[in-house]
Amino acid sequence: MNHIEEKTAGHNSLIDLYRFVFSCMIVCHHAIHLPQAQQVPFQGGYVCVEFFFILSGCLLAKSAWKDRGGVNEKSIAYDTVHQVVKRYTSLFYFWLPAFLASFLLQHWNRMADGDVVSTFKEFLFSLFELAGLSMSGINQGVVKWHFAMWYVSALLISIMIIYPIMRRYRYYFTMIAAPLIACFGYGWLSVNYRAIGAIEEWNGIIQAGMIRGLAGLSVGCIVFQLTNIRLPFPKTKRNDVIFTLIEMVLLFAALFIIYMQNNSLSDFFWWLYLRY
């Protein structure tokens, strides 16, 4: 087993803890949309979405590093489709009930009044959202019935763009292209929105949420490549404890700022904590 595989093999309970914590922060952030919600803790929880993009990018790079029958065009195409289908199906059974519940609750009164035709038309338009295409702009201006689907859409489309390139040019992408995509992506968000939290804003070519997806996945690919660097510290129990403590300090620092902050340029600074 090579060094990269050693770093990424096995089940990481700490990552599961981060998933749980950051998911809670995102839920807290969305609580600002509740009726009469004034002061909600962790309003900056939207930044935690970047953690899931980064984690997905890291796992994507791990998959690209495996030898799956060479780098010919056919194998790369099949592997890319496999990556997208695998992620879509793993989320679909959670995604579908939430989507249907949201749609029915918001249309209950309209259907009770007999306005079935317009409800059916809106349902047909919402199928683009259900298919994970909301970030493509194909249904721009249409009401979104499950707004959190933007993340899944940005993730799936970004994988279709990034994965085949990385499968063909692994070192080039993780060491050159990915840093450039991350720098220019987050730089673009900084200049135009002064924060990371932009999603549906359209700039004539692409939505802001897609920029976040591409930049976040690219950062994840960089993180994976960094795991191939051998640190000049022996692997001992003492060093493991020290690095874990440093990791936890950075985590709590990020959570503290997320608790205090909402939509500002400091998003990009605290995003570094989530990365490390």
Side-chain angles (χ1 to χ4, degrees):
M1 179 179 290
N2 63 32
H3 184 61
I4 290 177
E5 289 171 334
E6 290 174 358
K7 286 282 186 179
T8 54
H11 184 76
N12 194 324
S13 299
L14 197 57
I15 293 296
D16 287 340
L17 173 63
Y18 291 162
R19 280 173 168 162
F20 174 75
V21 171
F22 290 137
S23 294
C24 291
M25 299 303 100
I26 294 170
V27 171
C28 288
H29 164 71
H30 284 292
I32 62 176
H33 300 293
L34 294 175
Q36 300 179 344
Q38 297 179 352
Q39 192 62 33
V40 176
F42 298 104
Q43 292 189 30
Y46 59 88
V47 180
C48 296
V49 173
E50 304 331 293
F51 167 79
F52 292 97
F53 279 131
I54 293 171
L55 179 60
S56 296
C58 192
L59 296 175
L60 199 67
K62 176 185 175 182
S63 176
W65 235 259
K66 294 179 180 179
D67 184 7
R68 295 191 174 186
V71 290
N72 61 78
E73 182 181 353
K74 183 177 180 180
S75 65
I76 291 175
Y78 273 98
D79 284 350
T80 303
V81 172
H82 172 74
Q83 290 292 330
V84 173
V85 172
K86 179 176 69 174
R87 282 165 174 78
Y88 182 86
T89 52
S90 66
L91 294 169
F92 183 76
Y93 297 106
F94 302 98
W95 192 355
L96 181 61
F99 170 82
L100 292 176
S102 176
F103 185 88
L104 291 174
L105 285 172
Q106 296 184 63
H107 286 79
W108 185 262
N109 291 334
R110 185 182 296 180
M111 289 188 295
D113 294 336
D115 192 2
V116 178
V117 175
S118 61
T119 300
F120 181 70
K121 287 181 179 179
E122 291 188 359
F123 178 77
L124 291 179
F125 276 110
S126 68
L127 292 179
F128 293 112
E129 181 181 359
L130 190 61
L133 297 174
S134 58
M135 280 293 101
S136 68
I138 197 169
N139 60 341
Q140 181 75 2
V142 178
V143 176
K144 306 297 189 300
W145 307 114
H146 189 344
F147 189 68
M149 287 182 178
W150 79 268
Y151 163 77
V152 181
S153 177
L155 176 66
L156 297 178
I157 298 174
S158 296
I159 288 174
M160 295 190 72
I161 296 171
I162 286 176
Y163 188 75
I165 301 174
M166 185 164 52
R167 277 281 282 117
R168 182 64 181 86
Y169 305 103
R170 296 182 295 187
Y171 284 99
Y172 166 77
F173 186 84
T174 55
M175 299 178 69
I176 298 176
L180 289 174
I181 293 172
C183 287
F184 283 108
Y186 287 122
W188 185 85
L189 290 171
S190 174
V191 169
N192 287 278
Y193 304 110
R194 315 292 288 179
I196 281 181
I199 297 175
E200 287 199 306
E201 290 77 2
W202 181 259
N203 70 349
I205 300 176
I206 195 172
Q207 286 185 313
M210 274 299 305
I211 299 291
R212 290 176 68 182
L214 290 168
L217 285 182
S218 296
V219 171
C221 296
I222 298 169
V223 170
F224 176 80
Q225 186 61 268
L226 290 176
T227 64
N228 198 32
I229 299 176
R230 292 185 182 274
L231 297 176
F233 305 103
K235 185 172 178 58
T236 63
K237 187 174 182 180
R238 178 174 175 271
N239 286 339
D240 285 345
V241 171
I242 292 173
F243 285 119
T244 300
L245 288 175
I246 293 174
E247 193 173 354
M248 297 308 294
V249 168
L250 292 175
L251 170 65
F252 284 109
L255 293 179
F256 176 75
I257 297 301
I258 289 170
Y259 178 81
M260 301 293 293
Q261 192 69 39
N262 186 29
N263 268 16
S264 74
L265 279 175
S266 61
D267 289 353
F268 300 93
F269 177 73
W270 299 112
W271 159 81
L272 291 176
Y273 279 105
L274 298 182
R275 170 182 172 179
Y276 291 109

